[in-house]
Amino acid sequence: MRALVEGAGDAYAVTLVLSNKSEAPGLAWAAGRSIATLALPHAPFGKDREAHERALDAALRAHHIEVVALAGYMRVLTPWLVGRWSGRMLNIHPSLLPKYPGLNTHRRALDAGDPEAGCTVHLVSEGVDEGPALDQARVPVLDGDTPETLAARVLEAEHRLYPQALGRFCAGLG
């Protein structure tokens, strides 16, 4: 989220930081930069995921959001919300999709003996990490890499790639 804010330019501006966790550090960071923030915890909605997402959607629309860029939002979205924002919701994933959707991507790349890893910016679809890729960044796997060392290098690549990909995507909407 910080990389997206700091990488904003002519093509996009971050006008709202929304989290389902009231204590998310990004909320205070964004508020300190005069960006609107909103915490909308999912717990009060119980198991009704769509009810929570309807509230999210209402908040996004009330703030006149045009594109949603997920960053650290670790919940699988329902088809309802994905459908509402189809073609206008992006995410970044720490693998070279379609390889290794879901969790434990770095361990899986190392276990497979892959010579490279990386990250992918993609459109969000109903399937987990299955949406069309918009851009990727590749990171070499080094001798002696652990999931943690590889993750650190991939995260650096994510911080460069996501603002660039979001900028190109938003520029194409205008």
Side-chain angles (χ1 to χ4, degrees):
M1 181 271 305
R2 289 181 185 187
L4 293 175
V5 170
E6 291 169 349
D10 293 337
Y12 75 90
V14 177
T15 58
L16 174 67
V17 172
L18 188 150
S19 178
N20 64 316
K21 297 182 180 184
S22 300
E23 68 284 356
L27 293 171
W29 186 89
R33 282 144 187 84
S34 301
I35 299 170
T37 62
L38 178 63
L40 190 57
H42 59 271
F45 294 88
K47 293 183 179 187
D48 191 347
R49 297 176 75 83
E50 188 175 309
H52 178 248
E53 291 178 0
R54 286 182 182 276
L56 287 174
D57 179 65
L60 293 169
R61 292 179 188 284
H63 283 85
H64 309 288
I65 302 303
E66 296 177 28
V67 173
V68 174
L70 300 174
Y73 197 82
M74 299 299 290
R75 289 177 57 88
V76 175
L77 302 173
T78 68
W80 183 85
L81 188 67
V82 171
R84 290 282 285 181
W85 290 89
S86 179
R88 296 180 298 135
M89 184 182 291
L90 287 70
N91 194 18
I92 190 159
H93 182 71
S95 80
L96 296 171
L97 292 173
K99 279 188 163 186
Y100 315 124
L103 302 175
N104 303 312
T105 58
H106 309 298
R107 165 58 54 206
R108 291 159 65 195
L110 292 171
D111 288 350
D114 290 352
E116 63 182 2
C119 53
T120 306
V121 175
H122 64 95
L123 288 173
V124 175
S125 66
E126 289 185 22
V128 175
D129 301 323
E130 291 180 355
L134 301 176
D135 205 351
Q136 292 184 317
R138 296 176 182 283
V139 173
V141 173
L142 304 177
D143 288 342
D145 257 339
T146 65
E148 295 77 20
T149 59
L150 182 55
R153 285 198 322 285
V154 169
L155 184 60
E156 289 176 12
E158 288 181 47
H159 290 168
R160 288 187 304 271
L161 179 67
Y162 206 179
Q164 294 169 0
L166 179 60
R168 284 191 299 273
F169 178 81
C170 291
L173 295 177

